[in-house]
Amino acid sequence: MKIQFAPLNIPLRRRLQTAAVLQWVFSFLALAQCCLAGYVLLCVSDWWVLAALYAGWLYLDRDTPTSGGRRSEWLRNWSVWKHFRDYFPLNLIKMVDLDPGSNYIFGFHPHGVLVAGGFGNFCTEASGFSLLFPGLTPYLLMLPFWFRVPFFRDYIMCGGLVSSEKASLSYLLSAPRGGNVAVVAIGGAPEALDARPGALTLQILHRKGFIKLALKHGAQLVPVFSFGENELFDQMTNPTGSPLRWLQDHLQRLMGVALPLFTGRGVFQYSFGLLPYRQPIHTVVGRPIPVVQTPSPTKDDIDGLHSLYLEGLTTVFEDNKDNYGIAPDKHLHFI
């Protein structure tokens, strides 16, 4: 394989963009393991008292990931996120204004390999969420497992990440004055296994838990489609029924974490690596779907609202695909 190396005279701003994305990829793929290893080393060192004190803190703070987390506006406004935004670049687009007096569930599609659009738009202020949606506070839901990792949990909560447990979503949607936005990657980890350039398949037909909670709390549903999310990485061919896909599905059910075998570009060459390609991401926030609070929704209530959500998501995609290079004959495929 011929390797295409990056030129030496790349401007400093592009080097900074690459560095920003490199630290994000490291945080996503390896920081949790490093934090866990650091904690274990602390336990067996002369500083074990600090480890014991932190263990006590973990116990006292155990409910925070399901109670809105502990965000830091200082961290969300770090300059590094502006370089992260400009690497792709990343854009957040709204179709309509949203009333800050209501609570919302943003259904984020597609999941992609690393949810770059979800992180950049809703866990940082790089794309100007607070300016586009004044009075609203976004929370990106993440697998509960990660909030059990020492130190790492505190870092990710600073960005507005919270546990994806039912209790966590209910807490956000129960805010009496409104203003909370729970961002849920509806396809979840399994959808990451189908994330590759050109893919428009969404795992959503049997995912109705968020619909039920929206009805119980009267939270409005907002479909969000992130154009370009699946263009960031290539992935090894893994069709349904193949040995690789069987293994990936088995590990995903066992650990709760998808393991896509993906590749992108490197730091000093463009042929392979774990950095995403420089492809633009346009995250479009659709029109809200009004929801009447129903404390005990029936199956028909859930199915009816789910159908409306699918229609709203399709509308977001079809109304915007021409703007972002999607061919007219390409359409979403729901499974």
Side-chain angles (χ1 to χ4, degrees):
M1 180 180 65
K2 184 178 180 180
I3 299 178
Q4 181 185 1
F5 288 97
L8 296 177
N9 59 343
I10 289 180
L12 176 60
R13 60 179 178 81
R14 289 179 67 87
R15 294 294 189 193
L16 292 174
Q17 293 165 10
T18 301
V21 172
L22 177 63
Q23 67 82 26
W24 170 74
V25 171
F26 169 78
S27 297
F28 200 102
L29 299 180
L31 182 58
Q33 294 88 329
C34 291
C35 288
L36 182 59
Y39 182 74
V40 171
L41 291 175
L42 191 62
C43 288
V44 298
S45 72
D46 293 338
W47 299 90
W48 62 269
V49 174
L50 294 179
L53 290 173
Y54 186 80
W57 162 253
L58 284 179
Y59 177 78
L60 295 174
D61 197 52
R62 63 190 182 280
D63 293 330
T64 300
T66 59
S67 304
R70 185 171 45 252
R71 67 200 299 114
S72 165
E73 293 305 320
W74 172 70
L75 185 147
R76 288 172 56 87
N77 284 279
W78 278 357
S79 296
V80 68
W81 305 129
K82 295 178 181 178
H83 298 301
F84 174 88
R85 173 199 64 198
D86 295 339
Y87 175 91
F88 300 99
L90 177 69
N91 297 290
L92 182 63
I93 302 101
K94 68 175 180 180
M95 296 181 68
V96 296
D97 292 329
L98 297 181
D99 178 13
S102 299
N103 294 312
Y104 300 88
I105 295 179
F106 279 18
F108 184 85
H109 311 270
H111 183 285
V113 173
L114 299 182
V115 207
F119 176 85
N121 287 309
F122 305 116
C123 294
T124 81
E125 285 296 330
S127 57
F129 180 91
S130 295
L131 296 177
L132 285 172
F133 302 103
L136 295 179
T137 303
Y139 300 86
L140 181 63
L141 275 67
M142 192 175 186
L143 290 173
F145 167 81
W146 299 112
F147 296 92
R148 300 187 183 101
V149 181
F151 307 126
F152 182 73
R153 67 187 293 276
D154 302 293
Y155 174 65
I156 60 178
M157 281 195 291
C158 286
L161 285 149
V162 295
S163 173
S164 59
E165 295 175 71
K166 179 181 176 181
S168 177
L169 185 53
S170 293
Y171 178 90
L172 296 177
L173 302 182
S174 300
R177 297 183 180 179
N180 283 345
V181 175
V183 184
V184 184
I186 304 298
E191 194 173 272
L193 299 178
D194 291 316
R196 52 177 48 85
L200 293 172
T201 299
L202 304 179
Q203 296 201 21
I204 190 174
L205 289 182
H206 303 291
R207 296 180 178 267
K208 300 179 181 180
F210 72 105
I211 299 290
K212 185 176 182 179
L213 283 175
L215 284 165
K216 282 188 173 183
H217 296 282
Q220 297 189 48
L221 289 168
V222 181
V224 177
F225 195 87
S226 195
F227 292 90
E229 192 73 38
N230 281 341
E231 313 304 314
L232 303 182
F233 296 97
D234 289 311
Q235 189 171 166
M236 184 178 291
T237 303
N238 59 340
T240 301
S242 66
L244 174 58
R245 187 56 173 264
W246 177 88
L247 178 62
Q248 289 174 318
D249 288 339
H250 184 73
L251 291 175
Q252 192 275 321
R253 288 191 295 268
L254 183 66
M255 301 186 300
V257 179
L259 297 173
L261 298 181
F262 64 92
T263 184
R265 50 157 290 187
V267 177
F268 302 110
Q269 47 76 31
Y270 302 140
S271 301
F272 62 90
L274 296 179
L275 293 186
Y277 299 123
R278 283 183 181 264
Q279 294 289 337
I281 303 173
H282 304 281
T283 303
V284 181
V285 179
R287 295 178 175 82
I289 300 169
V291 177
V292 177
Q293 186 170 10
T294 310
S296 300
T298 65
K299 183 178 183 299
D300 289 341
D301 293 331
I302 295 171
D303 290 344
L305 184 56
H306 188 260
S307 296
L308 289 176
Y309 181 83
L310 294 181
E311 292 175 9
L313 177 58
T314 301
T315 298
V316 172
F317 178 79
E318 295 294 336
D319 287 355
N320 292 278
K321 66 180 184 181
D322 291 343
N323 299 329
Y324 306 119
I326 307 294
D329 61 337
K330 298 293 184 180
H331 306 285
L332 296 179
H333 176 55
F334 300 138
I335 61 174

